[in-house]
Structure formats: C-alpha cells, structure tokens
C-alpha cells in the first residue's frame, strides 16, 4: 500500500502538471492555425464548422496524425478565394499541401519549417509572391508543382539543392527568370523538370547530365529576349529521357549523337537555330513516336524517321527532298563545317550545290577552287577534310579563333597556291608545304606552343609529349635557341650584303604600279606644308597617351625600327610582301597599292606610292612629309610605323587593321560577308572617328585637315573600333588666318560645297565629310547611288529632305538596324548632328570637338557596362591646360540652337 502510494504520487503529479498542458497546447496550436486559415479564406469550405479540426467529419480536406498535428491540407478545385494566413508557417508536421485549382492570392507563407513536407501543389492560383526563404528547409519534398501562377518575377534559388529527394519540379508559366542554376544537377532523383513559358535565359548547365533519372525535360517557349541558348549536347547524356521539349528557344549548334538504347519517345526542338546534319543515331531510336525539327538550320541528308509523327518539312537546309545521300562535295564541306562546330555563320551552307553559291565558296566548273572565310569568328579546328577538295587553290581562314594544328593533309593538295591562316590561335608546327610557289600567311598564331588548352581535336600529341620534360632540358633549349639566333643573325648579314650588292638589279625588277588615279594627285602630293618653319615647330614630343594603341603588338616591329630609325631597307619590305606579290594586295587607290605584309611575325600594311604620280618629288620633301605623318599620332588614327625610299620608290608602312573598312561593313556586305553593324557599334565607330579628326583639327600640336574623309578611309580592328587612315594632310600654319587655297583633292560626294567650288579649305571641310559619313551609317546607303532616280542620287539632299517627315525618315533608315526606343531617340539626335555638319555655310557647321561631346554623351548611354571605356578622359590631365580649355569651351554651346552656329567664331586659332 505504502509502496503503491509512493509510485502513484509522482505519476499523479506528472499527469496533473505536464500531461494535460502539453496535449492541450499542441492541439490548439495546429487547430488554431486552421481556424486562422478559415478566416483568411473569403469562402471557406461549408463543412468547416466548430473548432474540432481533427475530429474527422467536419473540416474536410484536413488530415491529422494521432497526436493532433495537422499533416495534410488538400483543398483541390474548390474555387476558394482569399489569402493564406501567415501562421500556416507553424504547421511543422505538414506533409502535403495541395491547393491547385483555386483562386487564392497574396503571398505564399514561409514553408521553411515544414521539414516533413513531401507534396506541394499550388497550380493555377493567383498568388503574387513567394516567401524569401522559398525552398529552404524542405529536405523531404518529392513533388513541387506550381504551374500557371502570376507571380512577381523570381529565379530558382540555390536552396533547391537542399530538396535532395525531389522527383517532380514543375513551374511552367510561373514568371521564372534568370538562368538555370548549376545546382539543379544536385537533384539526382528528379524525373520531371518542367519550366516552359517562363523568362529563362542562358544555357543548359553541363552538370545536368548527372540527372540519371530524368524522364521529362520541358523548357520550351521561353518568353525572355535571349530565351534559352547555346548547345543542347547535354540532352543526349540523360539515359532515362523520354520526353524532350525545347521548342521556341534560341539553341544553337548540332543535334548530339544519341545512345542507340535511348528510351526517347518525344523529341521536339522546333523553332531554334540548330545546325548540322541530323545524326542517324537519333533517327534510329526505335522508341521515338513524335519528332519535330522544323524551322532550324539543319543541314545534310534529310533524315529517315520511322516515328508516327514527324515534322521536318519547313525551314531547314537539307540537301535533298528525299532521304538520299548528298553530293560528295556537300558531304566534304559539311565535314569542314563540323571542324568549326557547325557554326551559325555557315547555316547558309544549305541544299545540294555549294557552287550555287554558298557564302565563302567559289567554284570553277562545279569544283570548289576558293574558300574565303576570314573574320567570321570561327572557332574549332581546320578539318583535314579540306584535303578532299582536290581543286582547291586558295584558302583564307584568317582572323578567326581557330585552334589545333594545320592538318598535314593540306600539304597533299597539289592545286593549293594560297593559304592564309594568320591571326588565329593555331598551335603545333607549320607543316612543310611542297607545292611550288605556294603563298603562306601564318603570322599571329601560337605555333610552337603546346596545344594543351586548345581543345583542338587531339591532333597535337607531338607537341604535348615534349611538355613534361625536365628543367635541365630547358637549359639545353636555351643553348639551342642562342645557337639558332646566332646563325640567323649571320644569315641576315649575308643576305644583307648580298642584297646590297644586287640592289640596282632589284630596282629594275619592280615595275611601276599600274593604278588609276582619279584625283590625279598622289598621297604624297596631298601633303602640303605651309609656312617656312613648319616642321621645326612640331619637333616637340607628343604625349604618349595619344599614341595609337595598335591591336597588333608592335613591340617587335618597334625593335626593328630602333635599329633603322623609321626607315626600313627595301629588302625587308620585299621580303615582307613576297616581292609585292599580287596575292598580298589589300587595296588600290589613287595614290598606289596597299599590300599586306609580315614584318618580324606581325602583320603590317605596306603602301607603295604610285611612282608615276610621284614625279620629281625630292627626297628632302618626302622626309619632311614623313616628319609630319609620324608626329600625328592618336589611338584613332592609323599609325605610320615606318617608310622606305629607294630610287623612285616611296613606301609607307602602317599598322595592319584586320577588320576591313567601314565601307565594307556598311554597303558592301554581300561581297565582304560581314554582318550588319548594330546601332551601338555604329555609334562607337562614329565617336572613334570624331575623336581622331578632333585630334587632327585641334588637339595635335597644330591644325591638320584630312580632306578625304570617307568610309573607305576608316579602318576597323578586330573589335570593330575605328581608326582614320590615309590623311592627305594639309597643315594650317599658325599665322594662317581662316583658310587657305589648295588644289581640290578628295572624293566627290564628300566635298563641302565651298571647297569644291573655290578650293578654300578649313577644318569645316572635314566636318562636312563627317556629316555625310554619319548619314551613310544611319541609312546604309552610299553617298551617291546612280541606281536611284535622279532627284534621289545625292544622299545629303534626300536625307535633309526626309528628316522633315518622321514617317518618311523611318522608312529611309538602314533596314538592317534593329532599333529600341532608346536607340531610335539617339539616332534622331545623330541625324540632327549630321544635318548640321552638312550645312551649306561652313560657319553653320559645328566643330569636331562638339561632335565628340554630343556623341560621347549618347554612346555612354548604351555602352554595355562591361566594356571598358577608353582612357582618353584619363589622358586629359596630360594635355595642356590650353587644350582642356578648348574642350570645355566647345562643350558650352548647344547644337539645338542653330542661331549659335552663325555667331560662333570659327576662326579660333590653335597655338
Ligand atoms: C509560430 O509560433 C510561434 C510560437 O509558437 C509564434 O511566436 C510565431 O508568431 C508563429 N508564427 C507565425 C507566422 O504565426
Ligand atoms: C499562364 O498563367 C496565367 C495565370 O497566371 C493564365 O491566365 C494563362 O492562361 C497561362 N498561360 C498558359 C499558356 O497556360
Ligand atoms: C518576361 O520578360 C519580358 C521582357 O523580356 C517582360 O515583358 C514580361 O513581363 C516578363 N514576363 C514575366 C511573366 O515575367
Ligand atoms: C551539389 O553537389 C556537389 C557535388 O555533388 C556538392 O559539392 C555541392 O555542395 C552540392 N551543392 C549543394 C548546394 O548542396
Ligand atoms: C527509310 O527507312 C525505311 C525503314 O527503315 C526503309 O524501308 C526505307 O528504304 C528508308 N528510306 C530511305 C530513302 O532510305
Ligand atoms: C565569337 O564567338 C565567341 C564564342 O565562340 C562568342 O563568345 C563571341 O560573342 C563571338 N563574337 C562575335 C562578335 O560574334
């Protein structure tokens, strides 16, 4: 009895104190939360009466466990409206929350404490926001479905990686933006990933191949501007994949090879930018039922699918209507394109006739004789398949991003006469070409480096095997290099002596350059030095910041000039241009011929002045002119690197600009193969040119006038930054008042009226020509177009007329321009500037520094933030105070007030 009392007492105590209290609070807490929910719904289910939440009969849709905790809320398709109360966050035993098919709105409460939640279905409600901790703390989640929600834009949080057991993630039409996070790859149990109709951008993360259980992948119809893009290779690495929907995106590259045992049933890649042939491994998949490939750039043989539904009829470039094999030439060229990864640039290699012609291909009698693909941003490797084109004579792959080696097979091409692979990232060794008289251009590569990082198709074993050699080996390498250097120096001396001996003979060998001379005036003749002490005053050094930053690393060339001054021996230039080889000609002008050349492994442009028009110009005058040219240096002026005089020969060596001329980028697109420039690119070029001319006009030590500004004199580098070339300079002497008379030089159409009629030349002559160039950049038209009716031939007249009518003007713009509202506004401003620049009276035209100010404010608006602005502003402090004042003064007057042009004093002098 006593014993029982002793036992019973604590038990009673326990019951009295802890028991009832604990049970009551747990019950009431979850029940209270459900009662909260009933209140926040505007139309709670009719059965929800009383307070016995877990009692069973009332409160339909609510399930509880034995301890009275709520484990399920399943309120499907009840037309419930209202919001979810925030206290829902405290239902920490919840396993299933299914609310699909209602019209609930407001915020989704925090779910972060629901460690047991397995099913979350929110489809088709009207929620506007997700909690900030969305997907945190949900390690048990198996199914997440949230389609068709008008949410504020959100992106998939990295916290999703914590939902390690997730099998279904479906959030289509749910305002998902941003990119697919790499952590999706951690969801290795995922079977369904559905993110269609969102605002996703970016590429498919390569890590997705870890999703070994994924059966359904639907990423179609992204609504963002950039959509989903990049290659789709990873989809072929998903072993369980059955349904793939990627349609209506911007995916590029070829369809990958599939495993023959693939389970694939539905393959939809319609409306993308896929290229290359359809791999037979795809058409061979037995389980395929539904295939859709329309509206891509697929090439090669038309695939032969056995699937029930096949859609490939429109918008592809298969070689034939039936599934038969392609012409062998097509097969070979597609192998070539394979080397480049089937780039979009070669998507027009479609159909069965490369001589149709395909871009970059030239044929004679249905045999490919030339392939020219310079500056196409090609990456990948040079395919050995080129060697199957057994009539190929010329191959130009210069200025791309090619890696790997030059295939040995090319040495077997008997017809090959010309191979230009300069300015790529090729490695290994240049193979020995035995073809007689073959011209090789290989400068600007990484020959001799190991191809380890090139990714260039494994054909570089030779060089990489020499990589892991010991350090003592590199010492002997140094010795070897010194040896080679010594023998090279000896050889150079010998050749020098030899050439010296033969110099007279050589001179006779260069025939005069046959060129047309439209202006009747040579480059050199255009330079006129006014004033007797002209060049003594410009001997002061130019601030180094203003020196042209050449895209070509010119240090080696600088060394060369170090030993010769700027004067180069004829022998060097003969070698650089392969004895002025026809194949090296870059262009011809009124003054002579420009050759591409290689000096010390760097590309240069060598201008050989027309000896016919050089006349009797004395050496002393030429040297005085060189003195001017070399002082005029600026990052937006093509730099003179050196010169050569030899008998009657006059040669100028300039930096080489790999991007061609502005003219080629504006109106000769068909021939040049360039893609049209965007508005932002045009503005950047316009500003570069304005800066170069501004420097000539005022910021250099003295005033220079270009006199022949036109798009073919504006050269671009690989990054489409511009430099002005070919200055036929007139230097205004300090004491010259406003203008001076000269013989008219220049190009019709760009000539300012007063200059054309009287020969009176001021800096405003250049401003006029600049205005014309702006008009050409806006309209994509040439200044004179004889193909148009007579009253429309002159661009300036018709441009100024069309500007009066906004609608007419809109139609008049370059159709290749895609303009946002922002760029349309800036275009109008530039058009206005162009109009003022081409004013009839010189004093009505703005100064060049005004153009720079106007354009730089416009360009800065759209410059992508990751572009590093040029350091010109930093250079200001290095300039004289006087020049700064000039700039500030220019910034003071505004162009919108045309009155101010007439009152603005154009006879400012520079000291
Ligand atoms: C959850 O419960 C805690 C105490 O049990 C309370 O302080 C908190 O306010 C509750 N949270 C919500 C969102 O109601
Ligand atoms: C997308 O969701 C909204 C509601 O958020 C719905 O009205 C619309 O019909 C849905 N669109 C599609 C294509 O399902
Ligand atoms: C998607 O992005 C576009 C702009 O790219 C925007 O207009 C649209 O409102 C966005 N849609 C959603 C659902 O976020
Ligand atoms: C994802 O998985 C990788 C390796 O499988 C792991 O290192 C990483 O921590 C995981 N990320 C997260 C966020 O769990
Ligand atoms: C396409 O495939 C079917 C079945 O494999 C075959 O009978 C037919 O000859 C093929 N057609 C062509 C043109 O290859
Ligand atoms: C050139 O190609 C690279 C990748 O191959 C790309 O990132 C770059 O944007 C391309 N540049 C241009 C101008 O198309």
């Amino acid at each position: 009895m006593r014993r029982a009392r002793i036992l019973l007492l604590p038990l009673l105590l326990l019951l009295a104190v802890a028991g009832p209290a604990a049970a009551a609070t747990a019950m009431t807490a979850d029940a209270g939360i459900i009662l909260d929910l009933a209140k926040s719904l505007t139309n709670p289910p009719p059965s929800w009466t009383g307070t016995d939440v877990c009692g069973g009969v009332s409160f339909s849709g609510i399930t509880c466990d034995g301890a009275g905790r709520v484990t399920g809320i399943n309120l499907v398709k009840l037309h419930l409206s209202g919001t979810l109360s925030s206290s829902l966050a405290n239902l920490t035993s919840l396993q299933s929350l299914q609310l699909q098919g209602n019209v609930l709105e407001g915020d989704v409460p925090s779910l972060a404490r629901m460690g047991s939640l397995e099913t979350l279905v929110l489809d088709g409600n009207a929620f506007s926001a997700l909690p900030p901790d969305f997907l945190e703390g949900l390690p048990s989640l198996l199914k997440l479905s949230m389609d068709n929600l008008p949410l504020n834009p959100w992106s998939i949080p990295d916290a999703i990686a914590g939902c390690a057991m997730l099998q279904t993630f479906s959030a289509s039409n749910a305002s998902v933006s941003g990119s697919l996070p790499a952590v999706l790859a951690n969801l290795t149990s995922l079977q369904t990933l559905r993110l269609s109709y969102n605002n996703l951008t970016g590429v498919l993360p390569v890590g997705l191949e870890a999703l070994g259980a994924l059966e359904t992948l639907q990423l179609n119809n992204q609504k963002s501007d950039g959509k989903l893009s990049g290659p789709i290779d990873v989809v072929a690495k998903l072993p369980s994949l059955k349904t793939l929907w990627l349609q209506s995106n911007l995916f590029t590259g070829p369809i990958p090879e599939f495993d023959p045992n693939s389970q694939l049933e539905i393959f939809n890649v319609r409306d993308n930018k896929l290229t290359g042939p359809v791999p037979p491994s795809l058409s061979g998949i037995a389980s395929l039922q539904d295939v859709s490939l329309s509206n891509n750039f697929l090439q090669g043989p038309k695939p032969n699918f056995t699937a029930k539904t096949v859609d490939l009829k429109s918008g592809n470039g298969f070689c034939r209507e039936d599934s038969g094999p392609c012409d062998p030439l097509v097969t070979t060229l597609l192998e070539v394109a394979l080397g480049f990864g089937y780039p979009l640039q070669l998507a027009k290699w479609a159909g069965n006739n490369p001589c149709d012609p395909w871009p970059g291909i030239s044929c004679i009698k249905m045999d490919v004789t030339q392939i020219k693909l310079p500056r196409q941003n090609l990456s990948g490797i040079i395919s050995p398949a080129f060697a199957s084109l057994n009539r190929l004579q010329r191959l130009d792959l210069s200025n791309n991003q090619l890696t790997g080696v030059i295939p040995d097979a090319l040495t077997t091409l008997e017809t090959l006469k010309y191979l230009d692979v300069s300015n790529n990232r090729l490695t290994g060794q240049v193979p020995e070409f035995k073809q007689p008289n073959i011209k090789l251009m290989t400068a600007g590569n990484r020959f001799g480096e190991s191809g380890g990082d090139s990714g260039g198709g494994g054909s570089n074993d030779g060089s990489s095997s020499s990589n892991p050699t010991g350090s003592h080996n590199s010492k002997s390498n140094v010795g070897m290099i010194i040896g080679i250097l010594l023998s090279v120096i000896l050889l150079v001396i010998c050749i020098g002596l030899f050439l010296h001996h033969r110099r007279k003979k050589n001179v006779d060998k260069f025939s005069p350059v046959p060129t047309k001379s439209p202006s009747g005036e040579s480059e050199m003749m255009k330079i006129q030095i006014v004033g007797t002490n002209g060049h003594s005053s410009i001997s002061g050094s130019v601030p180094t910041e203003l020196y042209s930053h050449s895209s070509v690393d010119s240090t080696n060339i600088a060394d060369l000039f170090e030993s010769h001054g700027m004067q180069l021996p004829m022998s060097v230039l003969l070698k650089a241009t392969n004895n002025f080889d026809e194949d090296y000609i870059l262009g011809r002008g009124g003054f002579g011929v420009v050759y591409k050349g290689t000096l010390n492994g760097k590309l240069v442009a060598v201008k050989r002045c027309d000896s016919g028009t050089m006349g009797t110009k004395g050496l002393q005058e030429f040297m005085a002119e060189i003195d001017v040219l070399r002082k005029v240096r600026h990052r937006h002026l093509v730099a003179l690197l050196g010169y050569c005089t030899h008998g009657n020969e006059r040669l100028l060596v300039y930096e080489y600009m790999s991007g061609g001329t502005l003219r080629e980028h504006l109106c000769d697109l068909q021939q040049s193969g360039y893609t049209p420039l965007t508005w932002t690119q045009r503005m950047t070029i316009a500003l570069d040119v304005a800066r170069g001319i501004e420097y000539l006009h005022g910021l250099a030590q003295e005033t220079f006038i270009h006199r022949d500004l036109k798009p073919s004199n504006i050269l671009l580098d690989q990054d489409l930054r511009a430099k002005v070339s070919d200055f036929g300079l007139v230097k205004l002497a300090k004491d010259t008042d406003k203008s001076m008379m000269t013989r008219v030089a220049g190009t019709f159409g760009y000539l300012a009226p007063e200059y054309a009629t009287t020969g009176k030349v001021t800096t405003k002559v250049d401003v006029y020509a600049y205005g014309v160039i702006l008009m050409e950049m806006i309209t994509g038209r040439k200044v004179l177009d004889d193909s148009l009716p007579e009253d429309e031939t002159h661009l300036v007249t018709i441009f100024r007329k069309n500007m009066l009518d906004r609608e007419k003007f809109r139609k008049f713009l370059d159709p290749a321009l895609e303009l946002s509202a922002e760029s349309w506004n800036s275009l109008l401003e530039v058009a206005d500037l162009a109009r003022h620049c081409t004013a009839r009276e010189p004093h009505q035209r703005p100064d060049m520094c005004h153009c720079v100010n106007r354009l730089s404010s416009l360009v800065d608006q759209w410059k992508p933030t990751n572009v590093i602005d040029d350091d010109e502003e930093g250079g200001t402090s290095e300039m004289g105070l006087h020049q700064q004042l000039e700039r500030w003064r220019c910034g003071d007057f505004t162009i919108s007030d045309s009155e101010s042009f007439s009152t603005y004093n154009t006879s400012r002098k520079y000291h």
Side-chain angles (χ1 to χ4, degrees):
M1 188 68 196
R2 207 208 253 158
R3 223 172 173 195
R5 210 183 285 159
I6 290 167
L7 269 175
L8 209 71
L9 202 69
L11 197 70
L12 279 173
L13 260 170
L14 202 76
L15 273 174
V17 179
T25 48
M27 288 284 280
T28 52
D30 276 14
I33 291 168
I34 298 300
L35 295 180
D36 276 355
L37 176 62
K39 271 183 235 154
S40 68
L41 298 175
T42 46
N43 53 345
S47 69
W48 285 22
T49 53
T51 57
D52 189 7
V53 170
C54 291
V57 268
S58 52
F59 287 91
S60 62
I62 305 293
T63 45
C64 302
D65 63 10
R69 302 292 318 263
V70 173
T71 55
I73 301 180
N74 298 308
L75 303 170
V76 178
K77 288 190 190 165
L78 296 175
H79 308 290
L80 300 177
S81 56
T83 60
L84 296 181
S85 50
S86 61
S87 59
L88 226 54
N90 273 343
L91 289 178
T92 52
S93 294
L94 203 61
Q95 291 166 16
S96 169
L97 178 59
Q98 302 191 56
L99 300 170
Q100 66 268 38
N102 293 298
V103 281
L104 299 168
E105 34 180 46
D107 296 357
V108 175
S110 170
L111 311 169
R113 301 176 59 204
M114 303 181 180
S116 312
L117 194 65
E118 291 175 4
T119 305
L120 176 61
V121 185
L122 304 174
D123 303 337
N125 278 289
F127 295 119
S128 56
L130 296 168
D133 55 5
F134 188 55
L135 299 184
E136 281 173 26
L138 299 174
S140 312
L141 198 62
L142 299 174
K143 174 174 180 179
L144 169 59
S145 185
M146 46 189 299
D147 300 336
N148 301 327
L149 296 178
L151 294 166
N152 298 329
W154 63 288
S155 40
I156 301 169
D158 281 352
I160 199 171
C163 309
M165 295 162 69
L166 199 62
Q167 293 171 356
T168 298
F169 176 29
S170 183
S172 288
N173 186 25
S175 310
V176 191
S177 62
S179 52
L180 292 168
V183 295
L184 281 179
N186 286 39
L187 304 177
T188 47
S189 303
L190 209 56
Q191 292 166 9
T192 299
L193 178 58
R194 195 182 288 129
L195 293 166
S196 313
Y197 294 97
N198 282 305
N199 268 5
L200 290 169
T201 53
V203 301
L204 300 181
V206 282
L208 287 189
E209 68 182 76
L211 303 185
L214 195 67
E215 292 179 7
T216 301
L217 179 60
Q218 299 180 347
L219 301 171
N220 49 296
N221 293 82
Q222 296 305 318
K223 294 180 285 188
S224 44
D225 290 341
K227 297 174 181 277
L228 286 169
S229 54
I232 64 168
D233 295 349
V234 71
V235 302
K237 296 178 182 157
L238 298 168
S240 310
L241 195 64
K242 293 195 168 116
T243 299
L244 179 69
W245 284 8
L246 298 178
Q247 65 270 28
S248 295
N249 279 296
L250 292 173
F251 288 112
T252 51
I255 297 175
E257 294 281 352
F258 279 80
D259 188 300
N261 300 320
S262 166
Q263 308 290 300
L264 204 59
E265 292 167 5
I266 301 174
F267 184 81
N268 190 337
V269 295
R270 198 182 61 219
D271 299 310
N272 277 288
K273 296 192 160 189
L274 299 176
T275 49
V278 177
S281 58
L282 175 67
S283 40
I285 296 174
S287 51
L288 262 184
Q289 294 165 10
D290 186 345
V291 183
S292 187
L293 307 174
S294 284
N295 295 324
N296 281 286
F297 298 107
L298 298 169
Q299 297 157 304
K302 187 173 177 180
N304 184 9
F305 284 102
T306 50
K308 238 186 300 174
T309 320
V310 180
D311 159 34
L312 41 77
K313 55 181 176 293
S314 63
N316 281 308
F318 298 125
C319 62
R320 292 162 58 135
E321 289 293 314
D322 60 28
S323 297
C326 299
D327 186 285
L329 213 46
V330 171
T331 307
T332 301
L333 285 169
L334 287 179
E335 272 179 64
V336 164
L338 165 66
F340 306 139
Y342 298 114
L344 211 47
Q345 298 91 302
L346 301 185
K348 287 186 186 151
W349 284 14
N352 209 17
N353 182 5
C355 304
D356 199 10
W358 287 1
I361 307 277
S362 312
C363 297
I364 294 175
K365 292 186 184 154
M366 302 307 284
D367 257 321
V368 175
T369 55
Q370 298 193 13
I371 299 184
K372 288 190 184 171
L373 297 169
R375 306 182 204 100
Q376 299 289 321
N377 197 26
L378 297 175
S379 54
I381 60 160
I382 302 177
S383 169
F386 275 112
S388 310
L389 299 166
N390 50 21
R391 296 287 163 78
L392 190 64
Q393 295 173 9
R394 298 172 66 97
L395 177 54
D396 183 357
L397 299 172
S398 62
N399 298 294
N400 286 299
Q401 330 258 347
L402 299 174
T403 50
V405 301
I406 300 180
D408 282 335
L410 287 188
T411 62
T412 64
L413 255 180
E414 280 168 19
T415 49
L416 195 64
K417 289 184 188 153
Y418 179 91
L419 176 64
D420 189 351
V421 294
S422 53
N423 290 328
N424 279 289
R425 296 172 186 171
L426 299 170
T427 48
Q429 304 298 326
V430 180
E432 203 177 318
F433 285 84
K434 298 184 192 71
Q435 294 91 328
N437 301 324
I438 186 168
K439 277 111 211 173
L440 287 177
M441 314 283 280
T442 59
N445 280 292
R446 298 176 181 168
F447 294 119
E449 287 178 30
S450 90
D453 63 331
S454 68
S459 43
N460 41 29
D461 357 346
S463 51
S464 54
S465 67
S466 67
N467 246 353
T469 45
S471 61
H472 53 91
N473 214 342
S474 70
K475 254 185 219 155
S476 70
N477 277 350
V478 171
M480 203 167 87
I481 289 169
I482 292 176
I484 291 174
L485 271 179
L486 278 177
S487 47
V488 166
I489 290 171
L490 264 177
L491 192 72
V492 166
I493 292 173
C494 290
I495 292 176
L497 286 173
F498 177 71
L499 281 177
H500 183 75
H501 212 67
R502 301 212 357 167
R503 200 165 271 184
K504 263 211 123 56
K505 272 190 181 171
N506 268 339
V507 174
D508 299 339
K509 275 206 297 194
F510 325 133
S511 48
V513 184
T515 51
K516 287 172 277 158
S517 186
S519 66
E521 198 172 13
S522 80
E523 155 93 340
M524 289 294 104
M525 298 283 283
K526 281 196 265 174
I527 301 173
Q528 299 175 22
I529 297 181
V530 183
T532 46
N533 55 356
H535 32 104
S536 62
S537 67
I538 56 173
S539 52
S541 68
V542 181
T544 45
E545 282 76 11
L546 290 173
Y547 272 80
S548 168
H549 297 241
S550 159
S551 54
V552 177
D553 170 22
S554 51
T555 44
N556 283 347
I557 302 179
D559 289 347
L560 189 67
F561 294 135
E562 207 58 52
S563 48
H564 299 283
M566 281 186 66
Q567 180 157 24
L568 294 164
M570 192 64 173
S571 54
V572 170
L573 294 184
L574 277 174
K575 183 158 163 264
T577 59
N578 199 17
N579 293 323
F580 298 119
D581 191 319
E582 285 268 312
D583 285 334
Y584 286 45
I585 290 179
L586 288 172
R588 294 173 195 267
F591 45 80
V593 180
V594 184
Y595 296 85
K596 186 174 179 175
T598 311
L599 270 184
N600 284 15
K602 301 291 174 192
L603 290 168
V604 294
V606 179
K607 184 174 290 180
R608 188 183 188 194
C609 301
D610 184 349
S611 53
T613 53
M614 277 310 297
T616 56
K617 216 158 219 287
L619 191 61
Q620 223 177 349
E621 265 174 278
F622 180 79
M623 294 308 293
E625 290 154 3
I626 293 290
D627 210 27
V628 176
L629 282 175
R630 62 192 283 194
K631 293 277 152 58
V632 181
R633 293 213 159 188
H634 184 269
R635 61 186 300 154
H636 296 304
L637 299 177
V638 174
L640 180 74
L641 299 175
Y643 66 94
C644 170
T645 59
H646 189 95
N648 282 335
E649 289 279 345
R650 301 280 184 272
L651 295 137
L652 297 166
V653 180
Y654 291 97
E655 61 181 316
Y656 175 73
M657 300 284 287
S658 61
T661 70
L662 177 59
R663 188 195 165 94
E664 290 170 307
H665 284 267
L666 281 183
C667 13
D668 300 338
L669 293 177
Q670 289 255 291
Q671 278 165 32
S672 63
Y674 292 118
T675 48
L677 296 167
T678 66
W679 179 243
T680 310
Q681 286 167 335
R682 289 177 207 219
M683 294 316 306
T684 308
I685 290 167
L687 180 57
D688 288 348
V689 172
R691 286 193 163 134
I693 301 296
E694 177 196 34
Y695 168 80
L696 281 179
H697 284 183
L699 298 176
Q701 243 76 0
E702 284 156 280
T703 297
F704 298 101
I705 301 173
H706 187 296
R707 286 209 299 172
D708 197 10
L709 213 48
K710 55 183 174 183
S712 53
N713 278 342
I714 293 166
L715 305 185
L716 305 180
D717 66 15
Q718 228 165 341
D719 304 322
L720 297 178
R721 299 303 298 259
K723 295 187 188 198
V724 177
S725 80
D726 212 5
F727 357 104
L729 298 171
V730 170
K731 183 163 73 81
L732 285 186
K734 275 186 270 183
D735 53 350
T736 311
D737 196 5
K738 285 182 195 167
S739 61
M740 46 174 291
M741 303 301 189
T742 63
R743 283 170 51 198
V744 174
T747 305
F748 195 64
Y750 301 90
L751 292 183
E754 79 281 1
Y755 178 47
T757 52
T758 68
K760 200 174 97 175
V761 57
T762 65
T763 51
K764 297 302 176 68
V765 164
D766 286 347
V767 175
Y768 183 92
Y770 181 72
V772 179
I773 294 171
L774 289 181
M775 290 179 175
E776 292 185 294
M777 293 216 266
I778 289 169
T779 61
R781 295 196 192 191
K782 293 181 195 164
V783 61
L784 293 173
D785 193 341
D786 294 332
S787 64
L788 293 171
E790 197 170 335
D791 56 338
E792 288 178 24
T793 47
H794 193 216
L795 179 63
V796 177
T797 319
I798 182 87
F799 188 98
R800 295 173 69 94
K801 204 168 99 195
N802 278 344
M803 265 196 85
L804 304 174
D805 181 337
R806 209 181 158 96
E807 269 321 296
K808 251 192 191 164
F809 186 62
R810 214 181 240 284
K811 284 188 202 131
F812 186 55
L813 304 180
D814 188 345
L817 279 175
E818 288 171 11
L819 292 172
S820 65
E822 206 179 354
S823 39
W824 165 246
N825 283 335
S826 76
L827 183 142
L828 286 180
E829 290 215 33
V830 177
D832 191 50
L833 182 62
R835 187 170 61 89
H836 284 296
C837 287
T838 53
R840 171 160 280 278
E841 297 298 327
H843 68 263
Q844 293 177 321
R845 298 175 206 146
D847 274 310
M848 225 46 223
C849 51
H850 179 79
C851 298
V852 169
N853 287 339
R854 290 297 301 257
L855 288 172
S856 54
S857 66
L858 292 174
V859 167
D860 287 342
Q861 279 180 12
W862 332 289
K863 207 173 250 182
T865 47
N866 59 355
V867 170
I868 301 153
D869 200 8
D870 34 18
D871 49 341
E872 222 140 277
E873 297 312 315
T876 328
S877 59
E878 308 287 329
M879 278 183 239
L881 179 61
H882 167 75
Q883 284 148 9
Q884 280 201 31
L885 286 174
E886 280 297 338
R887 281 196 153 185
W888 294 338
R889 184 144 36 116
C890 279
D892 279 344
F893 80 102
T894 56
I895 196 168
S896 52
D897 179 8
S898 56
E899 282 285 59
S900 59
F901 286 126
S902 43
T903 56
Y904 191 70
N905 182 7
T906 54
S907 60
R908 287 177 300 128
K909 289 177 194 160
Y910 298 89
H911 300 283

